[in-house]
Amino acid sequence: MPRRSSLPVAFVVPTLVILLILSMVPTLYAIVIALQNRELSSATYSYVWLSNFYDLFFDRRFLNAVWVSVKWEIVTVAATMAVAIGLGVLMFEVASPRLRNIYCLLFIIPVLLPRVSAAFVWKFAYHPLYGIATYPYRLLTGGLIFDPLSKPSTALFAVASVDVWQWGLFFAVIVLKLLETLPPQPIEAARLDHARRWQIHAYVTLPMLKAPLVSLMFVKMIESLRSFDLIYVMTRGGPGVATETLDMYAFSQGFIESGKVSYASAMAVLMMIATVITFTMLWKRVQA
Protein backbone atom coordinates (compact mmCIF):
# COMPACT_ATOMS: atom_id res chain seq x y z
CA MET A 1 0.00 0.00 0.00
CA PRO A 2 1.58 3.32 -1.03
CA ARG A 3 2.50 5.70 1.72
CA ARG A 4 0.50 8.91 1.83
CA SER A 5 2.41 12.11 1.24
CA SER A 6 2.67 14.51 4.17
CA LEU A 7 3.18 17.49 1.87
CA PRO A 8 -0.49 18.67 1.94
CA VAL A 9 -0.46 18.54 5.74
CA ALA A 10 2.77 20.54 5.83
CA PHE A 11 1.13 23.29 3.79
CA VAL A 12 -2.34 23.28 5.37
CA VAL A 13 -1.57 22.94 9.08
CA PRO A 14 0.60 26.08 9.51
CA THR A 15 -2.00 28.15 7.65
CA LEU A 16 -4.82 26.83 9.82
CA VAL A 17 -2.80 27.47 12.97
CA ILE A 18 -2.14 31.08 11.92
CA LEU A 19 -5.82 31.65 11.07
CA LEU A 20 -6.86 30.09 14.38
CA ILE A 21 -4.53 32.36 16.34
CA LEU A 22 -5.64 35.47 14.42
CA SER A 23 -9.31 34.68 15.06
CA MET A 24 -9.31 33.17 18.54
CA VAL A 25 -6.90 35.48 20.37
CA PRO A 26 -8.92 38.68 19.74
CA THR A 27 -12.16 36.81 20.44
CA LEU A 28 -10.98 35.46 23.78
CA TYR A 29 -9.53 38.84 24.72
CA ALA A 30 -12.86 40.52 23.92
CA ILE A 31 -14.65 38.03 26.16
CA VAL A 32 -12.21 38.71 28.99
CA ILE A 33 -12.66 42.48 28.65
CA ALA A 34 -16.46 42.05 28.58
CA LEU A 35 -16.23 40.45 32.04
CA GLN A 36 -14.42 43.48 33.44
CA ASN A 37 -15.27 47.17 34.00
CA ARG A 38 -12.51 48.75 31.91
CA GLU A 39 -12.82 52.39 30.88
CA LEU A 40 -10.53 54.53 28.75
CA SER A 41 -10.37 57.19 31.42
CA SER A 42 -9.01 54.85 34.10
CA ALA A 43 -6.13 52.39 34.27
CA THR A 44 -7.70 50.41 37.10
CA TYR A 45 -10.25 47.70 36.56
CA SER A 46 -11.82 44.71 38.21
CA TYR A 47 -13.91 41.71 37.22
CA VAL A 48 -17.68 42.30 37.25
CA TRP A 49 -18.41 39.05 35.43
CA LEU A 50 -21.87 39.12 33.79
CA SER A 51 -22.84 42.57 35.03
CA ASN A 52 -22.24 44.23 31.64
CA PHE A 53 -24.42 41.68 29.88
CA TYR A 54 -27.16 42.16 32.47
CA ASP A 55 -27.13 45.94 32.03
CA LEU A 56 -27.47 45.61 28.28
CA PHE A 57 -30.96 44.15 28.48
CA PHE A 58 -32.16 47.25 30.36
CA ASP A 59 -30.48 49.68 27.96
CA ARG A 60 -33.16 51.09 25.66
CA ARG A 61 -30.59 52.41 23.23
CA PHE A 62 -29.04 48.95 22.97
CA LEU A 63 -32.44 47.39 22.28
CA ASN A 64 -33.05 50.02 19.61
CA ALA A 65 -29.66 49.24 18.05
CA VAL A 66 -30.57 45.55 17.93
CA TRP A 67 -33.86 46.34 16.21
CA VAL A 68 -32.15 48.66 13.71
CA SER A 69 -29.58 45.95 12.97
CA VAL A 70 -32.34 43.40 12.34
CA LYS A 71 -34.15 45.80 10.00
CA TRP A 72 -30.90 46.56 8.20
CA GLU A 73 -30.23 42.86 7.65
CA ILE A 74 -33.73 42.16 6.35
CA VAL A 75 -33.88 45.18 4.05
CA THR A 76 -30.40 44.88 2.54
CA VAL A 77 -30.41 41.10 2.09
CA ALA A 78 -33.95 40.90 0.67
CA ALA A 79 -33.49 43.89 -1.65
CA THR A 80 -30.07 42.73 -2.84
CA MET A 81 -31.29 39.24 -3.71
CA ALA A 82 -34.41 40.63 -5.42
CA VAL A 83 -32.35 43.06 -7.53
CA ALA A 84 -29.76 40.39 -8.32
CA ILE A 85 -32.27 37.77 -9.44
CA GLY A 86 -34.41 40.28 -11.33
CA LEU A 87 -31.54 41.88 -13.25
CA GLY A 88 -29.79 38.55 -13.81
CA VAL A 89 -32.90 36.98 -15.34
CA LEU A 90 -33.62 40.13 -17.38
CA MET A 91 -30.13 40.18 -18.88
CA PHE A 92 -30.33 36.45 -19.59
CA GLU A 93 -33.63 36.84 -21.47
CA VAL A 94 -33.22 40.16 -23.27
CA ALA A 95 -29.56 41.02 -23.75
CA SER A 96 -27.31 39.59 -26.44
CA PRO A 97 -24.00 37.96 -25.40
CA ARG A 98 -22.09 41.13 -26.31
CA LEU A 99 -24.47 43.36 -24.34
CA ARG A 100 -24.27 40.99 -21.38
CA ASN A 101 -20.51 41.46 -21.23
CA ILE A 102 -20.92 45.24 -21.31
CA TYR A 103 -23.55 45.15 -18.56
CA CYS A 104 -21.39 42.85 -16.45
CA LEU A 105 -18.47 45.26 -16.72
CA LEU A 106 -20.66 48.18 -15.67
CA PHE A 107 -22.33 46.28 -12.83
CA ILE A 108 -19.01 45.24 -11.31
CA ILE A 109 -17.76 48.83 -11.01
CA PRO A 110 -19.87 49.84 -7.95
CA VAL A 111 -18.59 46.99 -5.77
CA LEU A 112 -15.00 47.86 -6.71
CA LEU A 113 -15.39 51.34 -5.25
CA PRO A 114 -14.22 51.76 -1.63
CA ARG A 115 -17.24 51.81 0.65
CA VAL A 116 -16.29 55.17 2.16
CA SER A 117 -15.92 56.76 -1.28
CA ALA A 118 -19.31 55.43 -2.36
CA ALA A 119 -20.85 56.72 0.86
CA PHE A 120 -19.54 60.25 0.27
CA VAL A 121 -20.74 60.23 -3.34
CA TRP A 122 -24.25 59.11 -2.39
CA LYS A 123 -24.39 61.45 0.57
CA PHE A 124 -23.95 64.33 -1.86
CA ALA A 125 -26.43 62.70 -4.27
CA TYR A 126 -29.04 62.80 -1.48
CA HIS A 127 -28.38 66.49 -0.78
CA PRO A 128 -31.78 68.23 -0.49
CA LEU A 129 -30.77 71.16 -2.75
CA TYR A 130 -28.10 69.91 -5.12
CA GLY A 131 -28.40 66.12 -5.07
CA ILE A 132 -29.23 64.24 -8.24
CA ALA A 133 -31.19 61.62 -6.28
CA THR A 134 -33.54 64.25 -4.86
CA TYR A 135 -33.86 66.20 -8.12
CA PRO A 136 -36.91 64.25 -9.41
CA TYR A 137 -38.77 65.04 -6.18
CA ARG A 138 -37.95 68.74 -6.49
CA LEU A 139 -39.00 68.67 -10.13
CA LEU A 140 -42.36 67.01 -9.45
CA THR A 141 -43.23 69.10 -6.40
CA GLY A 142 -42.20 72.47 -7.76
CA GLY A 143 -39.03 72.91 -5.73
CA LEU A 144 -40.03 71.44 -2.35
CA ILE A 145 -37.04 70.26 -0.34
CA PHE A 146 -36.73 66.59 0.57
CA ASP A 147 -33.84 65.29 2.67
CA PRO A 148 -34.14 61.51 3.07
CA LEU A 149 -31.07 61.26 5.30
CA SER A 150 -32.56 63.62 7.91
CA LYS A 151 -35.91 61.83 8.31
CA PRO A 152 -36.14 58.82 10.65
CA SER A 153 -38.68 57.14 8.38
CA THR A 154 -36.46 57.24 5.27
CA ALA A 155 -32.85 57.42 6.48
CA LEU A 156 -32.34 53.67 6.87
CA PHE A 157 -33.79 52.93 3.43
CA ALA A 158 -31.72 55.69 1.83
CA VAL A 159 -28.51 54.22 3.22
CA ALA A 160 -29.65 50.68 2.39
CA SER A 161 -30.15 51.70 -1.25
CA VAL A 162 -26.42 52.42 -1.51
CA ASP A 163 -25.61 48.97 -0.15
CA VAL A 164 -28.03 47.40 -2.63
CA TRP A 165 -26.56 49.49 -5.45
CA GLN A 166 -23.13 48.06 -4.74
CA TRP A 167 -23.95 44.42 -4.04
CA GLY A 168 -27.21 43.91 -5.94
CA LEU A 169 -25.59 44.78 -9.28
CA PHE A 170 -22.57 42.60 -8.52
CA PHE A 171 -24.73 39.65 -7.53
CA ALA A 172 -26.76 40.16 -10.74
CA VAL A 173 -23.58 39.38 -12.69
CA ILE A 174 -23.12 36.19 -10.67
CA VAL A 175 -26.75 35.15 -11.22
CA LEU A 176 -26.38 35.77 -14.96
CA LYS A 177 -23.26 33.62 -15.15
CA LEU A 178 -25.00 30.88 -13.15
CA LEU A 179 -27.92 30.91 -15.60
CA GLU A 180 -25.53 30.64 -18.52
CA THR A 181 -24.00 27.48 -17.06
CA LEU A 182 -27.33 25.63 -16.83
CA PRO A 183 -28.02 22.86 -19.35
CA PRO A 184 -30.33 24.15 -22.11
CA GLN A 185 -32.47 21.00 -22.37
CA PRO A 186 -34.84 21.71 -19.42
CA ILE A 187 -35.35 25.30 -20.61
CA GLU A 188 -36.08 24.17 -24.17
CA ALA A 189 -38.49 21.52 -22.89
CA ALA A 190 -40.37 24.12 -20.86
CA ARG A 191 -40.62 26.39 -23.90
CA LEU A 192 -41.97 23.53 -26.00
CA ASP A 193 -44.66 23.09 -23.35
CA HIS A 194 -45.60 26.75 -23.95
CA ALA A 195 -44.39 27.88 -20.51
CA ARG A 196 -44.04 31.61 -20.13
CA ARG A 197 -40.67 33.20 -19.38
CA TRP A 198 -41.46 33.89 -15.74
CA GLN A 199 -42.71 30.32 -15.33
CA ILE A 200 -39.50 28.93 -16.82
CA HIS A 201 -37.40 30.80 -14.30
CA ALA A 202 -39.77 30.34 -11.37
CA TYR A 203 -40.13 26.58 -11.79
CA VAL A 204 -37.06 25.47 -13.75
CA THR A 205 -33.95 27.65 -13.66
CA LEU A 206 -34.12 29.20 -10.19
CA PRO A 207 -34.90 25.89 -8.41
CA MET A 208 -31.88 24.43 -10.19
CA LEU A 209 -29.80 27.28 -8.75
CA LYS A 210 -31.10 26.94 -5.19
CA ALA A 211 -27.75 25.98 -3.64
CA PRO A 212 -25.65 28.83 -5.14
CA LEU A 213 -28.41 31.37 -4.50
CA VAL A 214 -28.59 30.33 -0.84
CA SER A 215 -24.81 30.67 -0.63
CA LEU A 216 -25.04 34.17 -2.12
CA MET A 217 -27.69 35.07 0.45
CA PHE A 218 -25.49 33.96 3.32
CA VAL A 219 -22.53 35.89 1.91
CA LYS A 220 -24.72 39.00 1.79
CA MET A 221 -25.96 38.41 5.34
CA ILE A 222 -22.38 38.31 6.59
CA GLU A 223 -21.41 41.34 4.51
CA SER A 224 -24.38 43.36 5.82
CA LEU A 225 -23.02 42.97 9.34
CA ARG A 226 -20.01 45.02 8.19
CA SER A 227 -22.01 48.16 7.52
CA PHE A 228 -20.30 50.46 10.00
CA ASP A 229 -18.34 52.56 7.49
CA LEU A 230 -21.28 53.16 5.15
CA ILE A 231 -23.72 54.22 7.88
CA TYR A 232 -21.14 56.22 9.79
CA VAL A 233 -20.21 58.36 6.78
CA MET A 234 -23.76 58.94 5.59
CA THR A 235 -25.72 59.47 8.84
CA ARG A 236 -23.47 58.90 11.89
CA GLY A 237 -26.34 56.78 13.20
CA GLY A 238 -28.85 59.60 12.89
CA PRO A 239 -31.20 61.25 12.74
CA GLY A 240 -31.28 60.55 16.45
CA VAL A 241 -30.69 56.81 16.65
CA ALA A 242 -32.75 55.88 13.59
CA THR A 243 -29.80 54.26 11.78
CA GLU A 244 -27.63 53.34 14.76
CA THR A 245 -26.79 49.67 14.38
CA LEU A 246 -25.27 47.51 17.08
CA ASP A 247 -21.69 47.94 15.92
CA MET A 248 -22.13 51.71 15.76
CA TYR A 249 -23.53 51.83 19.30
CA ALA A 250 -20.66 49.68 20.56
CA PHE A 251 -18.14 51.99 18.90
CA SER A 252 -19.89 55.04 20.36
CA GLN A 253 -19.92 53.65 23.89
CA GLY A 254 -16.38 52.34 23.70
CA PHE A 255 -14.52 55.22 22.08
CA ILE A 256 -16.68 58.31 21.50
CA GLU A 257 -19.14 59.06 24.29
CA SER A 258 -18.24 57.35 27.55
CA GLY A 259 -15.15 55.22 26.91
CA LYS A 260 -16.77 52.09 28.38
CA VAL A 261 -14.60 49.53 26.64
CA SER A 262 -15.96 46.59 28.60
CA TYR A 263 -19.55 47.60 27.92
CA ALA A 264 -18.77 47.81 24.18
CA SER A 265 -17.01 44.43 24.30
CA ALA A 266 -20.09 42.89 25.89
CA MET A 267 -22.15 44.11 22.93
CA ALA A 268 -19.64 42.65 20.49
CA VAL A 269 -19.65 39.30 22.26
CA LEU A 270 -23.45 39.16 22.29
CA MET A 271 -23.51 40.08 18.61
CA MET A 272 -21.05 37.30 17.82
CA ILE A 273 -23.04 34.69 19.76
CA ALA A 274 -26.36 35.75 18.23
CA THR A 275 -24.84 35.73 14.74
CA VAL A 276 -23.35 32.25 15.09
CA ILE A 277 -26.57 30.78 16.48
CA THR A 278 -28.80 32.48 13.90
CA PHE A 279 -26.65 31.55 10.91
CA THR A 280 -26.30 27.95 12.11
CA MET A 281 -30.06 27.55 12.53
CA LEU A 282 -30.78 29.12 9.14
CA TRP A 283 -28.18 26.97 7.42
CA LYS A 284 -29.58 23.76 8.93
CA ARG A 285 -33.11 24.76 7.97
CA VAL A 286 -32.08 25.53 4.40
CA GLN A 287 -30.14 22.29 4.06
CA ALA A 288 -33.00 20.20 5.50
Side-chain angles (χ1 to χ4, degrees), residues 148-270:
L149 296 178
S150 66
K151 295 182 178 297
S153 58
T154 58
L156 184 70
F157 298 100
V159 180
S161 66
V162 182
D163 185 80
V164 175
W165 169 73
Q166 282 196 298
W167 290 96
L169 299 183
F170 175 61
F171 280 7
V173 175
I174 299 177
V175 171
L176 172 63
K177 296 307 177 182
L178 289 173
L179 290 171
E180 291 176 348
T181 61
L182 291 177
Q185 291 83 2
I187 300 176
E188 294 297 330
R191 286 174 178 166
L192 290 176
D193 289 337
H194 304 288
R196 297 182 179 181
R197 289 184 176 182
W198 71 268
Q199 292 175 324
I200 293 175
H201 293 288
Y203 300 108
V204 179
T205 60
L206 294 181
M208 293 173 67
L209 296 177
K210 178 183 176 181
L213 289 178
V214 169
S215 299
L216 279 179
M217 183 183 68
F218 273 90
V219 169
K220 185 64 189 79
M221 291 173 64
I222 296 173
E223 194 280 331
S224 290
L225 295 174
R226 302 165 55 249
S227 58
F228 174 86
D229 47 0
L230 179 64
I231 300 176
Y232 186 81
V233 171
M234 295 191 69
T235 64
R236 299 280 179 106
V241 291
T243 59
E244 186 178 62
T245 54
L246 193 56
D247 51 352
M248 287 201 66
Y249 182 44
F251 175 76
S252 177
Q253 287 293 302
F255 301 99
I256 301 298
E257 295 181 9
S258 55
K260 296 180 180 179
V261 182
S262 293
Y263 197 62
S265 296
M267 296 184 211
V269 171
L270 276 182

Side-chain angles (χ1 to χ4, degrees), residues 28-196:
L28 294 176
Y29 189 60
I31 296 174
V32 171
I33 293 178
L35 300 177
Q36 300 171 351
N37 59 353
R38 286 179 179 265
E39 294 186 7
L40 293 180
S41 59
S42 176
T44 61
Y45 64 91
S46 61
Y47 281 89
V48 294
W49 303 110
L50 299 179
S51 178
N52 289 320
F53 297 94
Y54 179 80
D55 294 339
L56 284 174
F57 292 100
F58 296 94
D59 186 347
R60 296 179 61 184
R61 191 172 168 186
F62 167 77
L63 298 177
N64 174 79
V66 172
W67 173 236
V68 171
S69 298
V70 172
K71 286 194 298 183
W72 173 265
E73 281 285 314
I74 295 174
V75 170
T76 55
V77 174
T80 297
M81 295 306 298
V83 169
I85 294 174
L87 285 179
V89 170
L90 185 63
M91 289 189 293
F92 182 76
E93 287 291 338
V94 177
S96 63
R98 185 174 181 180
L99 273 179
R100 291 178 188 176
N101 293 332
I102 296 175
Y103 289 144
C104 289
L105 179 62
L106 294 176
F107 287 173
I108 289 176
I109 292 176
V111 80
L112 297 178
L113 293 176
R115 181 70 72 92
V116 174
S117 300
F120 275 113
V121 170
W122 277 94
K123 185 176 182 179
F124 184 77
Y126 280 127
H127 193 280
L129 295 178
Y130 313 109
I132 190 173
T134 57
Y135 175 75
Y137 181 86
R138 298 194 305 273
L139 186 65
L140 294 174
T141 59
L144 292 180
I145 295 176
F146 175 62
D147 188 1
L149 296 178
S150 66
K151 295 182 178 297
S153 58
T154 58
L156 184 70
F157 298 100
V159 180
S161 66
V162 182
D163 185 80
V164 175
W165 169 73
Q166 282 196 298
W167 290 96
L169 299 183
F170 175 61
F171 280 7
V173 175
I174 299 177
V175 171
L176 172 63
K177 296 307 177 182
L178 289 173
L179 290 171
E180 291 176 348
T181 61
L182 291 177
Q185 291 83 2
I187 300 176
E188 294 297 330
R191 286 174 178 166
L192 290 176
D193 289 337
H194 304 288
R196 297 182 179 181

